[in-house]
Amino acid sequence: MLFTIRCLDCGHAAPFMPRSMQCPNCGSQWREAEYNLQAVAQSFPAELQNRPFNLWRYRELLPIYEPNPTLYLGEGGTPLIKAANLGNMLGLPNLYIKDERQGPTSSFKDRQAAVTIAALKEGGVTEMVAASTGNVAIALSAYAARAGIKLWAFVTSLVPGVKMREIALYGSQVVKITGSYDQAKQVAAEFARQRGLYQDMGARTVTAVEAMKTIAFEIAEQLTMMEGAPPRSTANAPKWRTPDWYIQAVSGGMGPVGVYKGFRELKQLGMTERIPALAPIQAEGCAPMVDGWKKGMEKAEPVLSPNTRIETLATGDPGRTYTLLRKQVIETNGVFESVSDDDAFRAMHVLAKLEGISAEPAAAAAFAGLFKLVRTGAIKPTDTVVVNCTGHTLPAEQFLFDENWTRDVDYPSVMAQSNTPEEGLLAALNNVTPNRFSRIAIVDDSPDARRLIRRILQSQGDFEIVEASNGNEAIELVSRERPDIVILDLMMPEVDGFAVLDALRSKPETTNIPIIVATAKELTVSEKSRLQGQIQALMQKGDFLNDDFLDEVRSLIQ
Ligand SMILES: *Cc1c(COP(=O)(O)O)cnc(C)c1O
Ligand SMILES: [Zn+2]
């Protein structure tokens, strides 16, 4: 046998019984799977070559006696995506996104559900109870449907209706609790006790933590595929890469606890050299872990009434998981951080517009956290960073957009009012775009930077964009095209931004064109005074993340 279940309190080791919820010796619910890593090390790396890239590829390190292919839905094996645009914006060339939206039910809870339901099926369970902020219940429901297990899903009334319907669609019984998530858990526990049913125990569920490890295994394997073997790799030394950071939005914290254990086991197996710094991100309105962290406390004070619109992140009482996770964050030199709901929504927009990735607000919170950690300097430009894009189980939510997000053409009525079809079409399309676009010149020697600024402008409005890649070209272009506004980089070889500025200001035809300086450079006092009165706005490259940049552009164009 390759694994046993070790009690974290009394140290007792027992065989795994999927239905049993506590240590047979002391009754503790805090247990962990422990593998015979020496035995695993002999078979595991070699076996991998012949296995498909999905969660079961790491079966020696999962607490399942016999993986059951009849339950598979294609769990795990999600892509690791290089985020070039976002990385460029943040000055992080090695930024990666683990795209957990691409699992069978569109969140990383697929992993937890796949392993948990497989174990419960092995254990003969036919009916179970789970409390959920939405996504766990969706994932468990899908796998429970395949396994022939009836699920009672206790969710709070704040869980979006689309998620509740998804749970019901899979044949689970949705029980809607008006109250907090922690209260829903209490009701679920009492229901399970009265009925004698198995209850999912969140982060204390051995299979859930074990399933999350596969995220770490995949990241290490994928980074190695994408960046090559680590520098010091030899026949007997580490073969796989690890990132410097693992960033994830957390509610109960099971994800990072599992990911940590995954990286720890890889290190113990000699497959990697170290464990990445963990950065768990919480929503400001429900951030008991971040508060505990900032106060240096080993136990988190529960948040009794969470105040966040991101229900997925509304675990008010992380209990002992925080204490565990805190140790791991300290050990890895990581950090806990919180972000506001609005930051998360903004990040959701940025991620979609720059990387083509539509995430749900909970997942976007991790990206808002990333932005914050880059700004505070916790994350360095040379760091390799992986952000878990934990899910997108929703269609884009309506509250993200104000009224005018579509441009509407009423084809029959336009046609009725015109003499010819051509005239009608022209009239219709005038509704779609104005006749003249504001013209913007982007001056930057880096093609990546130009592409980024173009993308930001393009995704938010109608502009005609012209570009110059050096100072001389810029002076010539601006004199010829007379743009409505110039976005100017300072650091360019030969004729730099300061020289361009002087040239434009000295000619009557360009002297009044508004100029926004965009720079990645920390300006000295004397540089700042050179800009004084000459430009309309100064933007640090990171400022592009907030809406001020576009507001500035719009106001200057008017
Ligand atoms: C569950 C969930 C989280 C929080 O994960 P934990 O590790 O359990 O705290 C974050 N994002 C999404 C999309 C989730 O479904
Ligand atoms: Zn015990």
Side-chain angles (χ1 to χ4, degrees):
M1 181 47 46
L2 286 178
F3 70 97
T4 54
I5 303 300
R6 175 84 60 191
C7 175
L8 291 179
D9 286 310
C10 75
H12 180 79
F16 184 41
M17 315 258 245
R19 313 173 68 128
S20 105
M21 296 189 269
Q22 46 189 230
C23 166
N25 184 46
C26 75
S28 165
Q29 295 188 333
W30 293 88
R31 297 160 308 151
E32 192 173 82
E34 191 177 273
Y35 300 80
N36 179 346
L37 290 176
Q38 252 172 355
V40 172
Q42 286 178 1
S43 65
F44 173 71
E47 288 283 338
L48 288 178
Q49 296 173 18
N50 309 316
R51 292 181 184 169
F53 195 64
N54 64 37
L55 174 145
W56 299 105
R57 150 180 197 86
Y58 312 107
R59 70 185 64 141
E60 285 87 351
L61 295 170
L62 291 172
I64 298 291
Y65 295 108
E66 199 53 61
N68 181 348
T70 66
L71 301 178
Y72 293 1
L73 278 171
E75 49 277 7
T78 60
L80 185 71
I81 296 169
K82 185 139 194 184
N85 290 335
L86 205 55
N88 181 15
M89 168 182 274
L90 295 165
L92 274 185
N94 300 309
L95 176 62
Y96 294 86
I97 297 172
K98 183 65 173 158
D99 192 5
E100 290 291 293
R101 299 172 312 159
Q102 299 198 38
T105 70
S106 312
S107 87
F108 77 143
K109 303 297 197 313
D110 287 326
R111 296 177 191 267
Q112 163 183 1
V115 179
T116 299
I117 295 290
L120 292 177
K121 173 104 178 147
E122 266 184 350
V125 169
T126 55
E127 195 170 344
M128 67 181 290
V129 174
S132 167
T133 57
N135 292 349
V136 173
I138 291 174
L140 284 174
S141 294
Y143 286 91
R146 295 176 76 74
I149 294 174
K150 154 95 181 193
L151 175 72
W152 297 83
F154 288 70
V155 298
T156 73
S157 48
L158 293 174
V159 169
V162 283
K163 290 196 180 184
M164 291 197 203
R165 287 193 291 277
E166 178 88 6
I167 298 166
L169 179 66
Y170 292 120
S172 297
Q173 179 59 56
V174 177
V175 184
K176 203 196 293 189
I177 307 292
T178 306
S180 69
Y181 173 50
D182 294 311
Q183 288 163 335
K185 278 198 274 198
Q186 282 166 24
V187 179
E190 183 52 27
F191 178 84
R193 198 187 62 77
Q194 281 181 14
R195 295 270 200 130
L197 296 177
Y198 173 83
Q199 192 206 349
D200 183 76
M201 293 182 302
R204 285 163 299 172
T205 312
V206 169
T207 45
V209 173
E210 294 301 303
M212 292 304 180
K213 292 189 319 196
T214 58
I215 297 172
F217 302 158
E218 289 179 15
I219 289 173
E221 251 196 298
Q222 287 170 309
L223 259 189
T224 309
M225 260 188 284
M226 294 167 82
E227 293 195 349
R232 285 199 274 146
S233 165
T234 63
N236 312 311
K239 293 173 182 59
W240 287 355
R241 279 185 187 265
T242 24
D244 297 299
W245 288 88
Y246 172 78
I247 305 181
Q248 193 208 296
V250 300
S251 190
M254 169 197 314
V257 167
V259 167
Y260 169 90
K261 187 166 188 275
F263 279 115
R264 191 185 76 198
E265 286 173 2
L266 286 182
K267 194 174 157 210
Q268 288 166 335
L269 283 167
M271 300 288 290
T272 59
E273 219 166 319
R274 65 207 158 81
I275 303 173
L278 301 178
I281 311 295
Q282 293 202 290
E284 234 164 60
C286 184
M289 300 201 211
V290 183
D291 293 343
W293 170 259
K294 294 199 165 149
K295 291 181 188 152
M297 300 190 310
E298 269 176 44
K299 278 192 187 144
E301 254 172 70
V303 171
L304 296 180
S305 1
N307 180 21
T308 169
R309 281 181 284 162
I310 308 176
E311 185 59 14
T312 301
L313 300 182
T315 300
D317 184 4
R320 194 160 155 186
T321 306
Y322 164 70
T323 308
L324 254 171
L325 188 53
R326 180 174 177 271
K327 270 202 206 120
Q328 300 166 350
V329 168
I330 291 173
E331 182 201 311
T332 60
N333 287 313
V335 64
F336 286 87
E337 192 51 272
S338 62
V339 297
S340 69
D341 289 4
D342 285 346
D343 285 345
F345 293 135
R346 262 196 294 275
M348 183 172 168
H349 263 160
V350 170
L351 180 65
K353 285 174 179 164
L354 290 188
E355 298 294 355
I357 291 176
S358 165
E360 67 179 275
F367 290 86
L370 164 74
F371 302 164
K372 206 164 172 181
L373 295 177
V374 170
R375 234 175 259 143
T376 61
I379 293 179
K380 311 249 167 343
T382 51
D383 287 346
T384 298
V385 178
V386 174
V387 183
N388 188 336
C389 184
T390 41
H392 189 22
T393 57
L394 284 174
E397 281 151 288
Q398 65 220 32
F399 59 79
L400 265 172
F401 299 99
D402 50 24
E403 302 271 289
N404 301 313
W405 61 278
T406 59
R407 296 184 192 165
D408 304 336
V409 174
D410 181 354
Y411 192 76
S413 88
V414 167
M415 285 305 167
Q417 284 163 25
S418 8
N419 299 319
T420 66
E422 291 75 25
E423 186 188 317
L425 265 180
L426 211 66
L429 293 178
N430 278 344
N431 281 350
V432 178
T433 54
N435 285 328
R436 183 190 179 276
F437 298 113
S438 299
R439 194 179 293 173
I440 302 183
I442 303 172
V443 181
D444 204 307
D445 60 320
S446 146
D448 284 344
R450 293 199 303 273
R451 182 172 46 117
L452 178 67
I453 296 170
R454 174 186 279 274
R455 181 67 200 129
I456 293 168
L457 293 168
Q458 211 171 43
S459 65
Q460 309 262 1
D462 303 313
F463 302 106
E464 185 184 329
I465 295 169
V466 290
E467 298 182 12
S469 61
N470 63 54
N472 283 328
E473 205 184 299
I475 298 165
E476 198 265 320
L477 176 90
V478 174
S479 310
R480 179 164 38 95
E481 300 282 337
R482 310 284 176 81
D484 297 284
I485 190 168
V486 177
I487 297 172
L488 178 65
D489 181 27
L490 286 181
M491 304 277 287
M492 292 184 291
E494 296 168 32
V495 180
D496 68 3
F498 292 105
V500 172
L501 198 56
D502 291 341
L504 294 181
R505 288 303 180 233
S506 68
K507 295 193 209 173
E509 69 270 24
T510 55
T511 187
N512 288 323
I513 297 177
I515 294 179
I516 296 181
V517 162
T519 180
K521 179 179 190 296
E522 275 299 324
L523 295 183
T524 64
V525 177
S526 81
E527 284 170 333
K528 274 195 184 147
S529 72
R530 270 182 84 184
L531 295 177
Q532 192 79 38
Q534 298 275 62
I535 64 166
Q536 276 56 47
L538 174 65
M539 291 274 156
Q540 301 291 122
K541 291 260 162 84
D543 292 341
F544 290 112
L545 286 175
N546 50 47
D547 304 335
D548 300 354
F549 172 61
L550 274 145
D551 292 347
E552 196 78 57
V553 168
R554 288 213 177 89
S555 74
L556 289 173
I557 280 170
Q558 253 125 67

